[in-house]
Amino acid sequence: MLSHIALVFWRGIVQRRLFTTLNVLGMALGMATFLTLALIVRYEFSFDLWIPHAADIYRLDAFDDSEFSVSSIRLIDALRAEHPDWNATAVLRGFSGATIRVNENAWDVFIARTDPHLFEVFALPLLEGNPATALVPDGVVLSQAEALCFFGTDHGILGKTLDLTQKGQIHRLHVTGVLKELPANTTPRFDILVPSSNTILHTNDLWPMATSEIWVRVSPSVASQFPTLLQGLVQRHAAGLSEQDAKKYVVRGRALTSLHFFDATIGMRGTDKRLPVILGIVGLLALVAGLVNFVTLSTALAATRAREVAMRKVLGATVLMLGLSFTAEAIGLALIAAFVALALTELTLPWITTLSGWPIRLDFGFAVPLLIITAVIGGACAGAYPSWVLSRFRPATVLSSARLPGSGRLGSRLREGLTIVQFSFAVTLTICTLVIWRQTHLLQTMDRGFHQSGLLVSHLPNDPTERLRQQRLSDLVRDLPGITGATVSDDAPGGGSAGITFDITRPGNATPAILAVIGTESSTLPIWGAHLLAGRLFDSSHDYDSRPMPAAPFDSFLMGQTWSFGAHNVVINESAVRALGFANDASAIGTPITLHGKDIQTIIGVIADMRFKDSRASVTPALYYAISGPIGYGVLSVRYRNAPENTTRAAIATIWKQVYPESALNLRSVGDIIDEDVRPEQQRGMLMIVASFVTLSISSIGLYGIAVFNVRRRLFEIGVRKVLGATAQQVTHLLIFQFLRPVMIANIVAWPVAWRLMRNWLSGFDRRISLSPLYFALTALIVLALAVLTTLFQIRRGARSAPAIALGSS
């Protein structure tokens, strides 16, 4: 029996080469798209699962108003006081910028300071070194990538030394361990681990200072009691907090395996969970489109085999045997499609990886079973129609009929319904692709409130003695050829170090507004190219426009000192105008406002919102003040014109070595920063374009196959129409309209679905395009034109056939 099924299967492939090719190609494209997106979804949902005991590791977040991924270092003390039996460790992340020097080479890096208990919580694999002895004073543990960067090798470097400069102090460290390269799907990154004493870790020993990640590894029974065990923890160890402030604090345990998606919800890196879910749905839609195409062509092809079924039944074949034969043939074709899909995925995955940014690879242990299961399900679905319909035909009726059964109303309605489903998916994806592409284009080209081209930025060393060199650096850079301006501020495009906010009130409005307070020089806003909307910008000739600051706000905050801002003239942005309740920009000019309940500031200007960071998020209401003197946590901004960027960079690097010989220069183009900001949206858009193209291709393949089938089946009808006077053009129009009907219905079905999906997606952007009917109309024109082009050749060929030949085809 098996040999008979195999023989029939092979003969069918040879005799029906066109339909077999269309069937396999459509199914393979759907499977390949599904497999590629399934690999991406699998990657996103597998974050941190490789870490030993990952299910037992938790990050403890202590926060008052809003949650962050870092907490106060005091939390580890409170934890060890109440739960000394827990495996707990602290990793200091905040303000950990440093310079590492090996011989004459220097790198600007971010380090993670940790206590000796890190490897008790995270059983991370070491390429070299012993986890029990690696975290010792004056030691450093490097990742393989950092070891290669610093020493040119990741082997045989134990005991080698490097100099770490931070806050003006130089420390010589020796390498005590090299971490094996951690998988890309790892949330906590440990590139440079510097074991530190308890004194160093507690440098910023204040509850409001969220600078540390606090990790614990506990049993599931303990984790289930976190709400009870952690309740009131801060209040019981609230030294330095007022009773009222202490009451605001809560502590939450966040599972390591949930952080990849959870951190995105609190604005701390991570990935929006909706993204992989959407990609998974797109992959399923592509697969369903391939399956629908496969079933549609299989049912069409089966309708031509009625006489074959009748003859086989006359020769003794049973219904069961015919059903098994048809199902086996369909599964066999689907398995061939699975093999082709595997090859397509293998060939295109490097390109998709580069395009999308996901570091995925083809895992045969995952891919092969997935494709086999899909092929079996798809084949069983495709074989169902011939198995349970054709195999039950009565031989006498079929063999005595002048025309072939199996192409009646039921079969036609089934194929038309499947075509509608198939094109509905394609139309939905195409509309979504157009909207995503336009939104991405908006993010790339929108006015961000400042002049983007020709602007370079770099973070400056922050030690108080190093700040005194800021003015010298600015003066020397400003004198370089092609440089039109150089300035220092504590915020800048790409993100500064300030991030400090204060409550602001104005006369007649008792409700305070929370504004980011940003320190600049009087030349900063003009150099950035800020758009003035009302009033004026800073002028150092005015007494209160640019004033010396005895201590940076952040410094005073870190030291717990009472700090007075003093009186300044200030500039605010559009969002601050709305937050403070002004009727318009002009009405804000000259208004005194109160900062932190005590310092009176006067508004002299209003500028357009400047989008320095996340293009999705809304702009923070901001207040700018000018300082005549060093700026804490400063960022250098350099404007150049009529000079090559590489030449400008090299000249600035030369000046930098003169002023900051012990520190590394990290100069970035604002254009590159913006490109990096919108890159995730570009990558998602490109994936959607690929998926949309594939789905349209599958739909077109299916429609072409149906066109070939229907034209062949209707040659007799065409001959009769032409004998009765119909022209080839009239027959062509009639057939085209019949083929376009399911495509038009598919548009009607897809439009409300696409509208709802894109409305929800666009709601995540502060600046977004309008959901214009143009995208829906354009998609309809594209799909209808594609359907016409796909079927026109076969239709015209059938319409032009000679009536004698057509009438003889029955």
Side-chain angles (χ1 to χ4, degrees):
M1 180 177 174
L2 292 177
S3 61
H4 175 72
I5 292 175
L7 180 62
V8 173
F9 175 61
W10 173 249
R11 285 178 177 174
I13 291 177
V14 173
Q15 293 173 0
R16 297 178 286 271
R17 291 186 293 273
L18 175 62
F19 280 98
T20 299
T21 301
L22 295 176
N23 235 353
V24 169
L25 182 58
M27 184 73 163
L29 286 173
M31 283 181 163
T33 304
F34 170 67
L35 177 58
T36 301
L37 295 181
L39 289 170
I40 294 175
V41 172
R42 177 173 176 253
Y43 168 81
E44 288 291 336
F45 278 92
S46 64
F47 259 72
D48 304 311
L49 294 179
W50 70 269
I51 298 176
H53 312 289
D56 299 331
I57 299 175
Y58 294 80
R59 189 185 70 207
L60 300 187
D61 297 344
F63 55 96
D64 48 5
D65 295 325
S66 57
E67 186 168 357
F68 294 95
S69 61
V70 286
S71 303
S72 169
I73 189 65
R74 285 199 173 189
L75 180 59
I76 194 71
D77 297 329
L79 203 63
R80 286 174 178 158
E82 297 198 7
H83 305 285
D85 55 323
W86 291 6
N87 284 327
T89 189
V91 181
L92 191 67
R93 296 283 189 183
F95 315 109
S96 293
T99 298
I100 283 183
R101 182 176 294 276
V102 178
N103 300 323
E104 297 302 317
N105 300 315
W107 296 268
D108 193 11
V109 298
F110 277 85
I111 65 172
R113 293 191 176 274
T114 181
D115 60 24
H117 305 287
L118 179 73
F119 292 139
E120 297 172 14
V121 176
F122 293 96
L124 302 176
L126 289 182
L127 187 68
E128 289 189 339
N130 185 343
T133 59
L135 300 177
V136 295
D138 298 324
V140 61
V141 178
L142 303 174
S143 67
Q144 279 186 262
E146 298 296 343
L148 286 169
C149 176
F150 299 154
F151 298 102
T153 180
D154 55 10
H155 288 81
I157 63 172
L158 291 184
K160 289 192 175 183
T161 61
L162 53 82
D163 291 330
L164 183 143
T165 303
Q166 191 174 37
K167 295 183 178 180
Q169 298 181 352
I170 300 176
H171 304 276
R172 174 149 294 185
L173 307 177
H174 60 280
V175 179
T176 54
V178 177
L179 282 171
K180 286 185 180 179
E181 193 66 33
L182 303 183
N185 55 344
T186 305
T187 300
R189 304 306 302 183
F190 302 113
D191 295 324
I192 305 173
L193 286 170
V194 180
S196 301
S197 66
N198 197 51
T199 302
I200 293 177
L201 290 174
H202 284 69
T203 300
N204 301 319
D205 193 1
L206 297 169
W207 275 112
M209 283 306 304
T211 60
S212 303
E213 293 172 357
I214 310 300
W215 300 92
V216 297
R217 197 177 95 197
V218 296
S219 65
S221 60
V222 172
S224 65
Q225 301 178 51
F226 271 161
T228 302
L229 297 174
L230 300 176
Q231 186 176 8
L233 184 67
V234 175
Q235 288 76 17
R236 292 190 293 273
H237 301 268
L241 283 177
S242 68
E243 183 178 352
Q244 182 178 1
D245 288 339
K247 287 181 180 179
K248 298 178 183 177
Y249 273 83
V250 293
V251 182
R252 295 282 185 268
R254 304 300 182 185
L256 170 63
T257 52
S258 71
L259 293 180
H260 178 59
F261 295 128
F262 173 76
D263 279 354
T265 66
I266 59 175
M268 305 297 292
R269 305 182 302 276
T271 295
D272 189 337
K273 194 173 184 177
R274 291 175 297 180
L275 172 60
V277 170
I278 290 172
L279 291 179
I281 293 173
V282 170
L284 284 173
L285 290 178
L287 177 62
V288 170
L291 287 174
V292 168
N293 178 76
F294 193 72
V295 173
T296 304
L297 291 180
S298 295
T299 56
L301 189 60
T304 67
R305 301 178 67 180
R307 284 190 176 140
E308 175 194 336
V309 171
M311 288 301 301
R312 289 171 69 178
K313 292 186 77 172
V314 167
L315 295 174
T318 64
V319 172
L320 177 62
M321 183 182 296
L322 289 171
L324 291 175
S325 177
F326 282 126
T327 302
E329 289 178 32
I331 292 176
L333 278 181
L335 289 173
I336 294 174
F339 175 78
V340 175
L342 195 65
L344 286 174
T345 305
E346 178 75 19
L347 291 173
T348 59
L349 202 56
W351 176 71
I352 292 292
T353 300
T354 302
L355 185 71
S356 66
W358 272 286
I360 55 175
R361 60 183 181 82
L362 185 57
D363 182 351
F364 287 94
F366 170 77
V368 172
L370 181 65
L371 290 179
I372 290 176
I373 293 172
T374 304
V376 171
I377 295 174
C381 293
Y385 179 79
S387 297
W388 303 110
V389 178
L390 296 186
S391 61
R392 284 171 168 73
F393 284 159
R394 293 182 178 181
T397 304
V398 173
L399 294 176
S400 63
S401 176
R403 300 187 64 185
L404 294 181
S407 59
R409 181 168 297 180
L410 176 63
S412 298
R413 291 289 180 265
L414 175 62
R415 288 187 290 276
E416 184 173 353
L418 292 174
T419 302
I420 291 171
V421 172
Q422 196 173 31
F423 270 94
S424 296
F425 293 156
V427 170
T428 301
L429 281 178
T430 304
I431 293 172
C432 293
T433 299
L434 288 175
V435 173
I436 290 173
W437 176 75
R438 284 297 302 163
Q439 177 64 22
T440 303
H441 180 71
L442 172 68
L443 297 180
Q444 289 177 301
T445 58
M446 69 179 179
D447 184 1
R448 291 178 175 254
F450 63 94
H451 189 53
Q452 302 170 27
S453 62
L455 187 61
L456 302 171
V457 296
S458 175
H459 286 270
L460 296 172
N462 188 52
D463 182 78
T465 60
E466 294 171 328
R467 293 178 191 169
L468 298 175
R469 294 178 255 174
Q470 289 178 5
Q471 191 61 49
R472 181 186 172 208
L473 176 70
S474 297
D475 291 342
L476 291 174
V477 169
R478 201 175 292 114
D479 291 338
L480 291 173
I483 302 298
T484 59
T487 186
V488 177
S489 57
D490 62 14
D491 199 9
S497 305
I500 187 169
T501 59
F502 285 99
D503 54 291
I504 309 287
T505 56
R506 72 176 183 89
N509 190 354
T511 304
I514 304 300
L515 270 60
V517 177
I518 300 170
T520 69
E521 294 180 337
S522 58
S523 61
T524 300
L525 296 178
I527 288 175
W528 283 346
H531 306 332
L532 183 65
L533 302 179
R536 62 177 179 84
L537 298 180
F538 298 118
D539 184 347
S540 56
S541 64
H542 289 73
D543 290 340
Y544 288 91
D545 275 19
S546 180
R547 311 194 73 193
M549 188 73 66
F554 239 40
D555 290 341
S556 301
F557 179 71
L558 291 176
M559 293 182 289
Q561 297 176 347
T562 301
W563 172 69
S564 176
F565 188 84
H568 284 77
N569 289 337
V570 297
V571 172
I572 61 175
N573 64 2
E574 292 175 272
S575 294
V577 170
R578 293 190 294 270
L580 290 169
F582 289 108
N584 52 54
D585 298 335
S587 64
I589 304 304
T591 304
I593 56 177
T594 305
L595 187 149
H596 210 42
K598 55 183 177 181
D599 296 310
I600 304 299
Q601 319 298 316
T602 303
I603 300 172
I604 61 169
V606 176
I607 60 173
D609 288 339
M610 291 189 282
R611 296 177 183 272
F612 285 165
K613 303 178 180 71
D614 186 1
S615 56
R616 275 178 169 264
S618 58
V619 176
T620 303
L623 175 152
Y624 300 86
Y625 64 97
I627 303 173
S628 58
I631 294 178
Y633 307 94
V635 182
L636 175 70
S637 299
V638 179
R639 175 73 65 185
Y640 66 94
R641 188 171 56 191
N642 300 326
E645 183 175 319
N646 290 339
T647 304
T648 303
R649 285 176 175 271
I652 294 173
T654 301
I655 299 298
W656 181 277
K657 288 182 180 179
Q658 297 176 21
V659 181
Y660 294 111
E662 72 287 356
S663 300
L665 173 64
N666 183 22
L667 201 62
R668 302 185 66 196
S669 164
V670 170
D672 291 341
I673 293 171
I674 292 173
D675 288 343
E676 184 179 296
D677 180 38
V678 301
R679 188 170 296 125
E681 306 303 332
Q682 289 176 315
Q683 292 169 344
R684 296 162 195 170
M686 289 304 299
L687 278 179
M688 291 294 292
I689 289 173
V690 172
S692 177
F693 174 78
V694 170
T695 307
L696 281 172
S697 299
I698 294 170
S699 302
S700 298
I701 289 171
L703 193 62
Y704 178 78
I706 295 298
V708 172
F709 169 78
N710 279 350
V711 169
R712 289 180 182 178
R713 293 289 299 169
R714 298 177 68 177
L715 281 177
F716 184 85
E717 175 193 338
I718 292 171
V720 171
R721 289 180 180 275
K722 295 186 74 172
V723 167
L724 295 176
T727 64
Q729 186 176 9
Q730 289 173 329
V731 172
T732 300
H733 290 166
L734 173 66
L735 294 179
I736 284 180
F737 175 77
Q738 290 179 353
F739 279 114
L740 291 185
R741 185 175 61 186
V743 178
M744 290 186 287
I745 295 173
N747 275 277
I748 297 173
V749 172
W751 285 1
V753 176
W755 179 83
R756 185 173 182 83
L757 287 174
M758 288 297 94
R759 187 188 65 169
N760 291 340
W761 182 74
L762 288 171
S763 65
F765 294 89
D766 180 57
R767 286 283 302 277
R768 52 186 177 268
I769 61 172
S770 60
L771 204 52
S772 168
L774 180 64
Y775 303 116
F776 300 84
L778 182 59
T779 299
L781 288 176
I782 292 173
V783 175
L784 289 172
L786 189 62
V788 170
L789 292 174
T790 300
T791 59
L792 186 60
F793 174 75
Q794 285 297 326
I795 291 173
R796 289 182 64 84
R797 183 179 177 183
R800 291 179 175 180
S801 61
I805 297 176
L807 292 173
S809 66
S810 62

